[in-house]
Structures are given as C-alpha cells and as structure tokens.
Amino acid sequence: MVREIVSIHVGQCGNQIGRAFWKEALAEHASANLDGVFDDCMSTFFRNVDNRTNRNVAIGDGRQPIYDLKARAILIDMETGPVFETNRGELGELFDKRQFVTGVSGAGNNWAHGNVIYGPEYNDELLEAVRRAAETCDSLQSFFLMHSLGGGTGSGLGTYLLTLLEDHFPDVYRFSTVVFPSEDDDVITSPYNSVLALSELTEHAHCVLPVDNASLANIVASWDSGPDLRPVGTGTSSGFDSMNSLVARLLTDLTASMRFAGDLNVDLNEITTNLVPFPRLHYLLSSVSPLPTRSSAEVFDGRTIPPAAAGFDGRPRRMAQMFSGAFSASNMLMRADPRKSKFLACGLLVRGEVVVSDVNANIERLAAELDMVHWNPEGYKIGLCSVPPVGTTQSLLCLSNNCCIMDTFADLRRRFIQLYHREAMLHHYTEFMERGGFDEALESLESLIADYAELDKASEPNDSCSRDTRVAF
Ligand SMILES: Nc1nc2c(ncn2[C@@H]2O[C@H](COP(=O)(O)OP(=O)(O)OP(=O)(O)O)[C@@H](O)[C@H]2O)c(=O)[nH]1
Ligand SMILES: [Mg+2]
C-alpha cells in the first residue's frame, strides 16, 4: 500500500529548501519513470489530478497516465516573498494554491511572534490546509516539516504547527528537518529562537534531522569552481541553492526506499523504531557519501548531464571509500564528528546496484572502529534501494544517533546564555510571552545535553573524566 508523505515548508528557509527538494524529487521520478505513468512510487510525494474534472486520479493498476502532478505540500510563510517566488518560478504549477498560507509582515526574527501570535491567529487556516492534504492520501504516513531555527516564522510557527499535528494527527509521524544558524549568522536573536524551538522539537517531533549552514557552506565551498554563496540571510534564494540541494538530497535518500524497489526496504517507521531508542533523543545527524559534486548538483537546476560525468567524477568509487566517507566529519551536514563519541544507533541507506556481501563486509569493518553503545551492539540499520540519485551510480546516506550532538547543543546554550544574562533583546519576546518560557526552554536543552552526556560515558567509565570536561552544564 502507498504510504504518503505531506511536506510542510515554513518560513523563507523552509520554502527555499522546499524548492530544492521538489526539484530533486521531480528529477528522480522523471529519470526512473520513463513510461510516464502514475504509480505507487510517485504517489508517496505527488497527486495526479485530472484537469478536466479537477479530481484526483486513483492509482488503479499503476498504469494511469500522468495528467497534472501536484506536490503533497503546504507552503507557509508570514511574509509573501518566498511562497510567491516559488509560485512564480519554474515549479509554480506543481503546487495547489489553496495550500499556501501566507501573512504580510513576517515574524521579525522573533520565535514568540511566530509561535504565540501567528500560531493561534492562523490556527484554523493551517489546520484546514493540513486536513485538505491528508484527505487526498490513502494512508498518510508522515509529515515532513522543513524550516530554519534562526528566524521567527520557521522556528515559531513551524513548532506551533508541530503541536497542532500532534493533537490532530497523533498517529502520523512528524519528521522535522531544521537548519541551525551558523556562529556568524546575521540574525542576532537566532540563539533565542533556536533554543525556544528546540524545546518544542524535543517534545513533539518523532525525528529531527538537523543540518547547519556552516557545514553546508563548507561542502559547497569545496566544490571545484568555488562556492556560489551570498551573505547569509539577504536577497534572493540563489546563494543558498547549492546548500539547499544537499538538504534535498538528504530527504530524497531518506525516502528512496519507500519509493523505489530494492533488496532491503527501510520505511520511515523503521527509522524511528531502530534509530530512536529514547523518545526525546531523536536527533539524527546525517552525512552523504560520496559528496555530490558541483556537476551532480547541476542536475537540480534541470541541466542535462550525462550520468557518468556526475557524482563520482566519472569513476564509481570503491564501496570502501563510500562507507568510510560517510563517517568522515567533512561529509556531515552538521558540524560533528560521530567517530569520537558513542553511537546509540546508526542507519545506512545505500542506493544503486550494490552487492550485499560488500555492504556487510564494510559495515563489519567500520563497526570495529566505531563506538556503539554496549546495549545495542547490532545497532546498524541497513537499507538497500536499487535506484541511485540522479547523475550518480551509488550513494550512501548515513544517519547517526550519536552523543556528539551534545557539543552542538552546548555551543548553542553558550550563545543563548551570552544574550540572556544581559537580557539583550528580551523585551521583544516578553511582549508576547512570559519570561518563564525562556527558563523552561533552557532547562529542556540542558536536560537533553545531560542525557546524551550520560549515555556517552555510561559504558566507558574509564574514559569518564575526559568526557566530563567536554560539556559545561
Ligand atoms: N540553508 C539555508 N538557510 C537559510 C535559507 N534562508 C534562510 N536561511 C537561514 O535561516 C535563518 C533565518 O531564518 P528565515 O528562514 O529567513 O526566517 P523565517 O522563518 O522566514 O522567519 P522571519 O523572516 O523572521 O519571519 C538564518 O539562519 C539564515 O541563514 C535557505 O534557503 N537555506
Ligand atoms: Mg522570513
């Protein structure tokens, strides 16, 4: 049976990542579905609408022609720019305009404005859009939320929506892909917004896939002809396009197994079951290997390139390199080094034609080097999907539930405290919320750090002294 996913893009970042995501999703299905039929595999992300009757076409025997594809998506922003940019752009026809929820003046980089003011104000409109999307699904499996943590709308309204989804669709998984601000982010209030949003994400999401702009920018900067970046947070989306294409790749790899055939399918419910041993510790670090090159990223811009010229620079890399790369800090979409901390679980989602015995041999080789928590020695979840990303022959997405994320959280806590101790900018928030909300969010973050720290040292008492000094509580 088809298990559908409804994607929800919130704020500028969420909508811009959305554009990259839908471009890649379309490119993947176009290259895999040469007959142009609407089958189970397409139905995960898309609806097929017959324009003559304006009704959804049922999948039937999976041989129906594609009439008018519509994304299972909701586009939300409290200013009009990003959503209208999508609507005006090359993907405009893909979206049902009734699924746009927009305001006028944005949330001014203020979580409280997005959450406390816009949340209740747009509650019914949001719920109606979600209900409309859900009604067109046979068996809705998951909501994919995408937004930044640094701004006001994505972090505030995005996490308001998360609780709304939990209340009204408790059985549908909630996956949030969130962009952490970099240290030199130009949004001064981003530490506040991030900590307030994280508290909600910890309580209400099933799975969070964090990425950070510094890591995305580093990967893009390593591409041959140099980065295509603009100063963070200004102007059009173009400077973020390459970075966003990496996030898009994470999401298409994550769902490849649900959409395409393979020897070992991994559904989203298996991700949550296998990779999240404790409900609050649901932050999964991701790395992609081999890293897409600039040429493979150009696929997202709709330019045609011969598959052999992209992804692997024309040469399929050896499996061993691909697996080792997945655990290298330079391949991480979030600044972190899981090799130095304890794994609670690890997902390895392989795409392309591979030999299963090679996969197993590589996992065995790496397992000897990695520090998996002692009570989950077999904590490697493997997926094998035979369809590779467009322009490549093989790829690997590694999802790590690893204690090293506590370092990112500790760093965010430090930046939050720097502002909070001076009460800087606080009045902009207390206009809309109690100050106690700040203390609660900080407490939530501290208990998250403590939980990961505890697990990190639990089974290695001999090393506990060095670990203790790493995180300042
Ligand atoms: N990776 C990535 N980061 C982005 C993008 N657009 C904005 N950001 C980051 O997101 C943060 C700002 O959040 P926005 O998404 O612009 O804010 P918003 O959700 O629209 O909220 P308000 O504008 O305050 O109402 C900063 O950390 C930016 O660097 C994008 O397209 N990609
Ligand atoms: Mg905005």
Side-chain angles (χ1 to χ4, degrees):
M1 193 203 324
V2 183
R3 306 296 319 264
E4 295 92 351
I5 295 172
V6 169
S7 299
I8 307 181
H9 309 282
V10 196
Q12 174 182 303
C13 179
N15 278 285
Q16 290 177 173
I17 286 179
R19 287 206 281 277
F21 168 72
W22 286 106
K23 261 188 201 177
E24 196 189 352
L26 275 178
E28 278 198 2
H29 284 281
S31 75
N33 185 339
L34 297 176
D35 294 341
V37 293
F38 189 73
D39 54 13
D40 277 10
C41 141
M42 294 206 76
S43 183
T44 302
F45 282 160
F46 302 98
R47 295 186 287 128
N48 188 17
V49 179
D50 185 342
N51 273 337
R52 293 162 303 183
T53 57
N54 214 15
R55 299 173 83 110
N56 289 320
V57 182
I59 296 179
D61 61 1
R63 307 290 314 161
Q64 291 285 341
I66 293 172
Y67 295 101
D68 187 13
L69 271 192
K70 291 288 177 213
R72 298 189 189 279
I74 302 169
L75 276 52
I76 302 165
D77 200 0
M78 291 296 101
E79 52 197 323
T80 47
V83 173
F84 284 168
E85 214 178 301
T86 303
N87 190 31
R88 272 198 311 267
E90 56 184 335
L91 293 177
E93 288 302 308
L94 190 62
F95 300 98
D96 179 345
K97 315 300 173 254
R98 292 174 306 162
Q99 298 300 75
F100 294 173
V101 179
T102 53
V104 179
S105 51
N109 295 323
N110 184 333
W111 178 91
H113 199 174
N115 191 279
V116 183
I117 302 299
Y118 284 135
E121 193 179 327
Y122 283 83
N123 183 87
D124 296 351
E125 215 175 311
L126 292 171
L127 204 50
E128 198 187 321
V130 177
R131 286 223 164 95
R132 207 181 289 126
E135 275 164 13
T136 64
C137 299
D138 283 337
S139 177
L140 174 58
Q141 183 177 43
S142 183
F143 293 112
F144 271 16
L145 289 107
M146 299 171 209
H147 57 82
S148 66
L149 294 184
T153 298
S155 74
L157 190 58
T159 53
Y160 179 90
L161 186 55
L162 194 63
T163 54
L164 205 61
L165 297 175
E166 184 178 34
D167 288 346
H168 293 270
F169 300 87
D171 301 329
V172 181
Y173 290 115
R174 298 175 297 280
F175 278 66
S176 293
T177 301
V178 299
V179 177
F180 272 65
S182 52
E183 180 89 36
D184 58 354
D185 197 89
D186 65 352
V187 177
I188 187 168
T189 49
S190 68
Y192 284 163
N193 298 332
S194 303
V195 171
L196 290 160
L198 277 176
S199 159
E200 301 292 321
L201 287 161
T202 300
E203 295 307 322
H204 304 294
H206 287 102
C207 238
V208 177
L209 301 161
V211 299
D212 76 51
N213 270 343
S215 303
L216 299 176
N218 278 343
I219 293 173
V220 171
S222 71
W223 290 351
D224 38 11
S225 40
D228 169 27
L229 297 175
R230 65 181 167 82
V232 161
T234 56
T236 68
S237 69
S238 59
F240 282 120
D241 286 351
S242 303
M243 290 158 68
N244 292 346
S245 71
L246 291 166
V247 186
R249 173 72 173 274
L250 153 66
L251 293 169
T252 49
D253 281 359
L254 175 69
T255 52
S257 205
M258 292 175 68
R259 296 175 291 129
F260 302 115
D263 286 343
L264 219 48
N265 284 331
V266 174
D267 212 346
L268 291 177
N269 61 343
E270 293 175 89
I271 298 282
T272 52
T273 308
N274 289 274
L275 301 189
V276 181
F278 306 104
R280 299 172 81 245
L281 307 190
H282 53 229
Y283 291 85
L284 304 183
L285 296 164
S286 52
S287 61
V288 176
S289 182
L291 281 172
T293 58
R294 176 174 292 283
S295 52
S296 60
E298 283 171 359
V299 171
F300 307 128
D301 294 336
R303 279 174 259 170
T304 314
I305 52 167
F312 290 89
D313 297 321
R315 302 180 306 274
R317 285 192 190 173
R318 296 199 343 263
M319 284 280 267
Q321 274 177 299
M322 184 166 86
F323 272 81
S324 299
F327 290 93
S328 150
S330 58
N331 288 48
M332 305 290 301
L333 304 193
M334 177 99 187
R335 195 179 42 186
D337 193 349
R339 290 171 306 189
K340 297 195 174 136
S341 294
K342 199 170 293 296
F343 279 85
L344 305 183
C346 179
L348 291 158
L349 307 182
V350 187
R351 298 184 65 179
E353 293 300 343
V354 294
V355 180
V356 179
S357 57
D358 285 350
V359 173
N360 289 335
N362 275 290
I363 291 176
E364 210 169 297
R365 173 176 66 85
L366 285 161
E369 296 165 16
L370 301 173
D371 187 9
M372 180 64 75
V373 71
H374 68 99
W375 41 258
N376 193 19
E378 304 298 322
Y380 297 93
K381 179 72 190 164
I382 304 164
L384 299 177
C385 166
S386 55
V387 178
V390 178
T392 69
T393 52
Q394 283 173 349
S395 82
L396 170 61
L397 170 68
C398 176
L399 297 170
S400 305
N401 194 341
N402 187 287
C403 295
C404 69
I405 193 151
M406 68 183 167
D407 294 344
T408 306
F409 291 147
D411 191 47
L412 185 59
R413 174 188 179 277
R414 176 185 58 77
R415 287 156 64 190
F416 176 95
I417 298 268
Q418 264 173 9
L419 290 176
Y420 192 43
H421 278 178
R422 292 179 179 81
E423 305 202 346
M425 309 289 164
L426 204 56
H427 61 289
H428 295 304
Y429 290 76
T430 49
E431 197 183 322
F432 306 122
M433 65 185 279
E434 298 289 325
R435 188 186 169 134
F438 269 63
D439 298 321
E440 281 165 26
L442 182 58
E443 235 172 73
S444 161
L445 183 65
E446 286 176 340
S447 87
L448 199 59
I449 296 170
D451 287 350
Y452 276 115
E454 188 63 33
L455 284 163
D456 196 31
K457 66 185 179 189
S459 61
E460 47 180 34
N462 296 339
D463 195 26
S464 60
C465 295
S466 60
R467 287 288 182 223
D468 279 346
T469 56
R470 292 178 49 184
V471 181
F473 291 105

